[in-house]
Amino acid sequence: MNPDQKNRSSRTSRTNRIDETNQTCQTRLPALRAVGLGHRYPRGWALRDCTFQIPAGRVCALVGPNGAGKSTLMSLAADLLTPTEGSIRVFGAPPEAPAARRSTALLSQDKPLHRGFRVAEILRMGSELNPTWDQATAERVIGGGNIPHSARVGSLSGGQRTRVALALAFGKRPRLLMLDEPMADLDPLVRHEMAGLLLTEAAAQGTTVLLSSHVVSELEGACDFLLVIGSGRVRLAGDIDELRAAHRPGGDSPAPSQEQLLMTYLRDPDLPTVITPAARPEQTEAAA
């Protein structure tokens, strides 16, 4: 089975598991829920009036141009920033709540690591700081890059440092894993390998993943949910297949691919906002 087939198989398995979960637990809390969410920096608004939800167990692509507010959204969910207006919840709890902090892991673009620490010390720190630490998962991520445990972080290549950072994120066993362009400095082959690892681990553990990436083509087949932000506001949100169907041309024309849909919205900021029922918080409230 080639890597693309593995990705499709993983996505099918995840979709089947989501369907089973939805049938048995209709009131399951969304992994991330925002209502009227906004954040303002001294220079202006980064996010404004954002309302959406991401159901638990999904792999959600977070897409938007530079400065759209993607990193700000993740920082709000990780309790690194405080909303200026509106609210955000992680599995029903505010981000500052202990339960939300235990459930969340964020790997940002700069991947801050103690450069003087050895790899073994980084893993030991992860173990001591996280009650749910999974050493086997962390070791598997490290081992895939043949990284010596005795090596200091500062001596590693950019790709190797990314692996160490990913090992910390996966090892925590979070319920919500947020990845803000963490694989940008990896070569294409390693990026593909790490994307496969991400999907495998997420499917096995039922982890909700929020993945920000500028490589639109690599998101095809890897994600089953989509959140597009432009100028600080939500432009697309929902199940990818439903969003594609909503943009199907008339006649016998096929629905656009995920990449085609994304590129259309990134190129034209005047297109109307589309949010499918699965991404609307009020739908959950009405059902409850």
Side-chain angles (χ1 to χ4, degrees):
M1 182 180 292
N2 62 43
D4 290 334
Q5 290 174 320
K6 289 182 180 179
N7 280 349
R8 286 195 294 269
S9 176
S10 177
R11 180 177 173 183
T12 299
S13 174
R14 172 178 289 274
T15 300
N16 291 339
R17 180 165 51 78
I18 291 168
D19 290 341
E20 294 172 0
T21 300
N22 287 341
Q23 292 171 3
T24 58
C25 188
Q26 293 293 329
T27 59
R28 188 177 183 183
L29 290 170
L32 197 62
R33 178 179 182 272
V35 176
L37 180 66
H39 183 79
R40 183 172 185 169
Y41 294 105
R43 66 179 183 274
W45 290 94
L47 289 175
R48 196 76 193 267
D49 195 27
C50 291
T51 296
F52 67 89
Q53 71 176 21
I54 301 173
R58 297 298 192 110
V59 176
C60 178
L62 177 59
V63 182
N66 289 333
K70 303 185 299 297
S71 297
T72 297
L73 174 59
M74 289 187 172
S75 295
L76 288 166
D79 193 34
L80 299 178
L81 294 173
T82 302
T84 304
E85 62 182 16
S87 64
I88 185 168
R89 294 291 183 269
V90 178
F91 293 102
E96 67 271 17
R101 289 190 173 190
R102 288 193 299 269
S103 299
T104 305
L106 168 63
L107 179 53
S108 59
Q109 298 178 39
D110 53 1
K111 298 178 288 292
L113 295 169
H114 295 280
R115 297 178 66 86
F117 279 23
R118 300 185 188 278
V119 172
E121 294 171 330
I122 290 286
L123 296 183
R124 185 161 61 250
M125 178 184 69
S127 175
E128 293 175 355
L129 293 177
N130 297 287
T132 58
W133 181 256
D134 186 339
Q135 184 71 17
T137 296
E139 292 280 2
R140 184 165 57 250
V141 176
I142 293 291
N146 296 316
I147 303 173
H149 281 54
S150 60
R152 295 191 184 277
V153 171
S155 70
L156 302 178
S157 68
Q160 288 176 322
R161 285 196 297 273
T162 297
R163 276 190 175 271
V164 174
L166 284 170
L168 282 178
F170 285 128
K172 185 180 178 181
R173 294 286 295 274
R175 296 173 67 193
L176 173 61
L177 176 58
M178 296 181 289
L179 304 171
D180 188 3
E181 294 278 2
M183 295 179 277
D185 57 351
L186 300 180
D187 64 66
L189 182 61
V190 176
R191 274 206 311 269
H192 196 81
E193 177 188 348
M194 295 308 296
L197 173 63
L198 168 64
L199 291 176
T200 299
E201 293 294 337
Q205 304 300 332
T207 307
T208 306
V209 178
L210 182 59
L211 173 62
S212 173
S213 175
H214 282 104
V215 187
V216 173
S217 60
E218 291 186 352
L219 298 173
E220 188 85 38
C223 302
D224 53 26
F225 212 76
L226 182 62
L227 180 60
V228 176
I229 297 178
S231 300
R233 297 178 185 271
V234 175
R235 303 194 59 221
L236 281 178
D239 181 278
I240 287 177
D241 290 337
E242 292 180 4
L243 288 170
R244 291 178 58 231
H247 290 82
R248 188 191 201 106
D252 296 328
S253 300
S257 68
Q258 177 181 320
E259 182 176 357
Q260 289 171 333
L261 178 61
L262 285 173
M263 293 307 298
T264 297
Y265 265 77
L266 291 174
R267 288 168 177 158
D268 189 348
D270 296 323
L271 287 174
T273 297
V274 177
I275 301 177
T276 71
R280 297 175 190 159
E282 62 269 23
Q283 296 294 320
T284 298
E285 293 170 1

